[in-house]
Amino acid sequence: MGMPAPWSSKRACSRAASQDSDWKVMQQPAVDIHGIEKIYPSLRGKPAAHALKGIDLTIQRASVFCVLDPNGAGKTTLISILAGLLYADKGGGKVWGLDLHSDRRKIRATVNFSSGHANLPDNFTAEETLNYFGMLYDLPGRVRKKKINELIAFFEIESHRKVPFNQLSTGLKQRLALAKSLVNDPRILFLDEPTSRLDPAVALLVRSRLLQWRREHGTAIVLTTHQMDEAEQMSERIAFLKDGRIIRMGKAEDLKRSISFQQRLIVRGRNLRRLAEVTERLDGYALISSDHGQLTCRMDSSVENLNPILEAALNAGSFIESVEVTKPTLGDVFVELANRPDSD
């Protein structure tokens, strides 16, 4: 057998190098950024705003990552940078293996975005909307038609495919907006409060469809929401952003264990007014709310049992009908971190 022609060897080496490069890219995280800062210059007498202050963040492929923050903490700026819409003033990194600065155009073609406030052309039907955005992403005609049918079926809007956007219900508008965000098979999907205006049944459908898409296509999802149950149900990891910094990050259960109180106590009964006054002076307890028939307070990790509160109830002349102890919620984490002084 003769030796292979030189050009054949070169082609094989080139193909092997390309495959090796592709493999290395696939091993990279979906997002890997370091030291990201963004400063908005002063405008009309207002001082410059330091929106992001050294963000380090890694998001794995095919994962769901949630960002929680009080309004104005830098969430929108962070997502805009990751989606290739804004320059970072400092720092760098990669989004799906693409350089955050030099590959912004490629990043925009690789990702997509959907907001809870669907805003699409009023007079376009559902079918025309998806066709229009498919053309913007340069999808060939046959591919575009197949993708349109797939997304319409996936989000269960078949019976409304010929209906103009402005005649759709809020739930259908939101499903169409999500379908639009998947038309280019994005590697990373950014979702800004995707179910904020939906009723519980439609919200449940949307969440299940998004998680199904992630499993089947390997899409990484970056979610922002103020619905704590949504964050907990969908996300593997959650980051809390405050004043331009990530101050806490981890799984939902780890975040719950990280705050100062570890249990919530609900006391139901009669004559609880005096007990509310006493509770505010008990070590390890923090009153949340009190009315005529129910008192709710937090118990931190220093409280070993219920004896102090029960003794206080007896001394205050309260009549206890029931006592319920529950674990803290993700909403409790949000409130504690949001209210924590910046120095913490």
Side-chain angles (χ1 to χ4, degrees), residues 188-256:
I188 305 175
L189 178 61
F190 296 99
L191 299 174
D192 185 19
E193 301 189 40
T195 65
S196 61
R197 304 171 66 194
L198 303 181
D199 66 60
V202 177
L204 185 61
L205 170 66
V206 165
R207 291 170 192 152
S208 66
R209 285 290 184 265
L210 290 170
L211 292 176
Q212 179 184 343
W213 186 274
R214 188 260 302 181
R215 289 192 302 270
E216 294 176 354
H217 296 262
T219 306
I221 295 176
V222 180
L223 170 71
T224 67
T225 181
H226 284 121
Q227 300 186 53
M228 299 299 107
D229 58 336
E230 181 169 82
E232 190 162 359
Q233 290 168 16
M234 292 189 65
S235 309
E236 285 102 338
R237 282 199 308 152
I238 299 169
F240 193 90
L241 189 66
K242 183 181 178 184
D243 296 323
R245 295 186 176 91
I246 293 177
I247 63 171
R248 195 67 57 83
M249 182 161 53
K251 297 180 180 179
E253 290 303 316
D254 294 335
L255 292 176
K256 293 175 190 177

Side-chain angles (χ1 to χ4, degrees), residues 90-320:
K90 291 184 180 179
K94 293 187 176 182
V95 175
W96 208 261
L98 301 169
D99 186 85
L100 196 64
H101 296 289
S102 61
D103 293 327
R104 288 172 63 236
R105 186 168 184 172
K106 292 180 180 178
I107 289 174
R108 290 196 294 270
T110 303
V111 306
N112 214 317
F113 173 86
S114 183
S115 166
H117 300 276
N119 186 18
L120 298 171
D122 276 348
N123 296 322
F124 281 16
T125 66
E127 188 175 57
E128 290 169 342
T129 298
L130 296 178
N131 185 63
Y132 171 72
F133 283 97
M135 288 191 293
L136 291 182
Y137 281 99
D138 291 326
L139 298 184
R142 289 184 179 180
V143 174
R144 198 163 63 243
K145 184 176 181 180
K146 181 180 179 182
K147 179 58 66 176
I148 290 169
N149 291 332
E150 176 190 2
L151 291 171
I152 283 177
F154 190 75
F155 284 103
E156 300 181 14
I157 52 180
E158 178 63 45
S159 60
H160 299 84
R161 68 186 298 153
K162 301 292 186 181
V163 178
F165 178 76
N166 60 5
Q167 296 180 24
L168 296 174
S169 67
T170 300
L172 287 167
K173 286 179 178 178
Q174 187 57 22
R175 279 187 266 174
L176 178 58
L178 289 166
K180 182 275 300 179
S181 72
L182 296 173
V183 74
N184 66 324
D185 286 322
R187 301 299 188 182
I188 305 175
L189 178 61
F190 296 99
L191 299 174
D192 185 19
E193 301 189 40
T195 65
S196 61
R197 304 171 66 194
L198 303 181
D199 66 60
V202 177
L204 185 61
L205 170 66
V206 165
R207 291 170 192 152
S208 66
R209 285 290 184 265
L210 290 170
L211 292 176
Q212 179 184 343
W213 186 274
R214 188 260 302 181
R215 289 192 302 270
E216 294 176 354
H217 296 262
T219 306
I221 295 176
V222 180
L223 170 71
T224 67
T225 181
H226 284 121
Q227 300 186 53
M228 299 299 107
D229 58 336
E230 181 169 82
E232 190 162 359
Q233 290 168 16
M234 292 189 65
S235 309
E236 285 102 338
R237 282 199 308 152
I238 299 169
F240 193 90
L241 189 66
K242 183 181 178 184
D243 296 323
R245 295 186 176 91
I246 293 177
I247 63 171
R248 195 67 57 83
M249 182 161 53
K251 297 180 180 179
E253 290 303 316
D254 294 335
L255 292 176
K256 293 175 190 177
R257 286 192 290 266
S258 72
I259 60 177
S260 60
F261 77 93
Q262 291 304 305
Q263 296 182 99
R264 180 193 298 267
L265 178 66
I266 301 173
V267 178
R268 297 180 180 90
R270 300 193 301 272
N271 301 328
L272 299 180
R273 183 178 60 83
R274 284 281 312 280
L275 177 60
E277 297 172 359
V278 174
T279 301
E280 293 184 312
R281 298 193 296 270
L282 284 176
D283 291 337
Y285 293 86
L287 184 67
I288 297 175
S289 64
S290 175
D291 57 30
H292 296 298
Q294 178 173 303
L295 177 145
T296 304
C297 63
R298 294 170 178 169
M299 302 165 53
D300 67 30
S301 55
S302 67
V303 178
E304 297 180 357
N305 54 55
L306 298 178
N307 289 349
I309 194 78
L310 295 178
E311 290 176 5
L314 292 174
N315 294 332
S318 301
F319 179 79
I320 305 301

